[in-house]
Amino acid sequence: MNQPVNIIFPHNIRLTVKREDLLHPHISGNKFRKLKYNIIQAKEEGKTALLTFGGAFSNHIAATAAAGKEYGFETIGVIRGEELVNKIGDNPTLAFAESCGMGFKFVTREAYRQKTEEAFVNELRNEFGDFYLVPEGGTNHLAVKGCEEILSADDEWFTHICCAVGTGGTIAGIINSALPHQQVLGFPALKGAELQHEVAIFAKKDNWKLVDDYHFGGYGKINTELVAFMNDFFEKTGILLDPVYTAKLFFGVIDRTNKGMFPENSNILLIHTGGLQGIGGMNRELMRKKLPIIKT
Ligand SMILES: *Cc1c(COP(=O)(O)O)cnc(C)c1O
């Protein structure tokens, strides 16, 4: 569903939001798209368990846990950070995943870095049996295929399509299904990752660019300016943003709009990739630091 943003911007620029956050109550936004064909594949292979990787506040962990519950798979989450083992109850993401039936393996940061290595995966197979492996963040060819379904035929009138970038799978799907006259802009939520390369692995065209100026210090990092922006945007539009990805995207697109960096009369589509489950964990951090919180 596309929702116009009812705010007047300079240069006759119009913003519209694709509400992927409304796709499913728990398998949020792009994570639904990324899991879809992987789940079909896992069923075809006769697998009964999904195993994947993520950090303590990961939207992907929450989505995989919910998908396992809905589609009848056991789920195993390999979580970065051994210290979390006794803190599941304090972490809204992990508590939710556990309530969906996900089992956890908490590993050190060093061990987590080996997650793509064969020896590490073999150890996991010895421990958990014959699972279907979903990579960190869910990105693989089947995930990109699912993300190619985000745009539809009635999106052809947009001049620009903007989305947040984590591992790059979502934007790759969007690039592949965008039309030749459309420019795709990605706003990385991380600092200094080699995302250009990651996106290029799956992208079949070159009508795209990454805008690196809005990561706010790095992955999961936010400041009071961003929180104030989120609260103001929610008040004006009724659209809730997540602090890790979409807030930075929307902030960046609106900042560039106000600075005249888009051509006059641009019709910009912003992809709301969901991730709202992350607000709870972020607000706990903000409260601990006695900072203003994200209003919901
Ligand atoms: C995971 C996530 C992204 C990033 O998607 P990638 O395919 O990893 O680039 C963007 N937005 C939200 C809300 C997410 O949860």
Side-chain angles (χ1 to χ4, degrees), residues 49-88:
L50 308 174
L51 178 140
T52 196
F53 306 88
F57 300 99
S58 164
N59 294 329
H60 171 65
I61 287 290
T64 305
K69 184 177 171 192
E70 184 153 332
Y71 298 104
F73 290 93
E74 252 180 84
T75 51
I76 304 136
V78 179
I79 309 294
R80 178 176 58 226
E82 263 189 325
E83 72 284 357
L84 294 162
V85 65
N86 297 315
K87 296 189 186 151
I88 296 171

Side-chain angles (χ1 to χ4, degrees), residues 30-31 34 59 137 139 164-171 242 245-246 273-275:
N30 63 338
K31 301 304 185 281
K34 294 173 89 170
N59 294 329
T139 291
V165 179
T167 61
T170 303
I171 193 173
D242 88 290
Y245 295 100
T246 52
T273 37

